[in-house]
């Protein structure tokens, strides 16, 4: 009779151990399902229409951006991706390996290419001191010029770089 009781207790202990192990596994799986992987490293900054190559430390299984209207990727090989800017704004870039480990999580900031606008303003209004900044999908002009004609020229040039007038913020002062 003792042997039967011991056998029954062993069976119960075995079932409890299996239940405990399964509970621990499910608890860990549930915990992993809610892990948030914060971005690491500085933001990747791009101009609209330009890109950069990124070499990964190991092969990626999946590579994507959160908002493909702002930036997109082309996978050249499992370790080499090309990231390019499509429109001003911010998004995130992710690369995940075959084991579902996040290898890359970086913010991506896409700005208008303002180099041409800056150069044109320096050439057309050499006496003026005009700064050009990009804020989301807007362009901000600040500084000082010597005449209202120069201010109007700067504004008109700035308008040629935006799709509508509400995207140009003109803070140019006339001396």
């Amino acid at each position: 009779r003792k042997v039967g009781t011991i056998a029954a207790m062993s069976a119960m202990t075995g079932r409890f151990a299996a239940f405990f192990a399964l509970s621990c596994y499910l608890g860990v799986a549930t915990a992993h399902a809610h892990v948030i992987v914060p971005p690491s490293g500085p933001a990747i900054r791009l101009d609209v229409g330009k890109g950069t190559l990124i070499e990964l430390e190991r092969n990626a299984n999946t590579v994507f951006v959160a908002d493909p209207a702002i930036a997109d990727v082309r996978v050249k090989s499992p370790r080499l991706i090309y990231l390019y800017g499509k429109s001003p704004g911010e998004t995130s870039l992710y690369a995940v390996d075959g084991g579902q480990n996040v290898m890359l999580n970086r913010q991506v900031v896409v700005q208008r290419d303002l180099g041409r606008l800056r150069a044109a303003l320096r050439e057309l209004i050499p006496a003026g001191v005009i700064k050009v900044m990009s804020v989301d999908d807007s362009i901000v002009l600040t500084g000082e010029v010597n005449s209202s004609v120069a201010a109007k020229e700067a504004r008109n040039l700035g308008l040629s770089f935006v799709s509508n007038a509400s995207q140009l913020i003109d803070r140019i002062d006339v001396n």
Side-chain angles (χ1 to χ4, degrees):
R1 185 153 212 248
K2 259 185 172 176
V3 171
T5 304
I6 291 173
M9 286 177 65
S10 291
M12 283 178 50
T13 304
R15 278 182 260 161
F16 176 77
F19 175 77
F20 180 76
L22 180 62
S23 296
C24 289
Y25 173 76
L26 290 176
V28 169
T30 302
H32 285 300
H34 294 84
V35 171
I36 296 175
V37 180
S40 61
I44 300 169
R45 298 190 176 280
L46 299 171
D47 288 338
V48 172
K50 295 185 180 174
T52 188
L53 281 172
I54 299 171
E55 186 175 3
L56 302 170
E57 61 193 38
R58 58 187 184 277
N59 290 351
N61 189 46
T62 305
V63 178
F64 62 97
V65 291
D67 188 347
I70 294 174
D72 213 346
V73 292
R74 298 262 192 254
V75 177
K76 298 298 181 187
S77 72
R79 289 189 180 192
L80 190 62
I81 60 175
Y82 179 70
L83 174 69
Y84 60 97
K86 293 172 71 176
S87 66
E90 294 184 24
T91 188
S92 298
L93 169 66
Y94 301 95
V96 180
D97 67 13
Q100 299 304 304
N101 299 304
V102 177
M103 300 174 4
L104 179 67
N105 176 2
R106 297 275 293 276
Q107 289 299 109
V108 178
V109 178
V110 180
Q111 302 178 52
R112 295 180 185 278
D113 181 2
L114 300 176
R116 289 184 12 234
L117 176 57
R118 288 183 182 111
L121 286 168
R122 279 192 304 272
E123 188 174 318
L124 291 174
I125 310 167
V129 179
I130 301 173
K131 293 181 183 176
V132 181
M133 295 182 296
S134 177
V135 178
D136 293 329
D137 64 347
S138 296
I139 292 176
V140 181
L141 301 177
T142 60
E144 296 179 354
V145 293
N146 293 331
S147 69
S148 59
V149 172
K152 186 175 180 180
E153 286 176 353
R155 178 174 174 68
N156 288 339
L157 190 57
L159 285 171
S160 69
F161 281 79
V162 294
S163 55
N164 66 60
S166 67
Q167 294 174 313
L168 180 67
I169 301 167
D170 183 357
R171 301 280 188 231
I172 296 175
D173 293 325
V174 178
N175 284 339

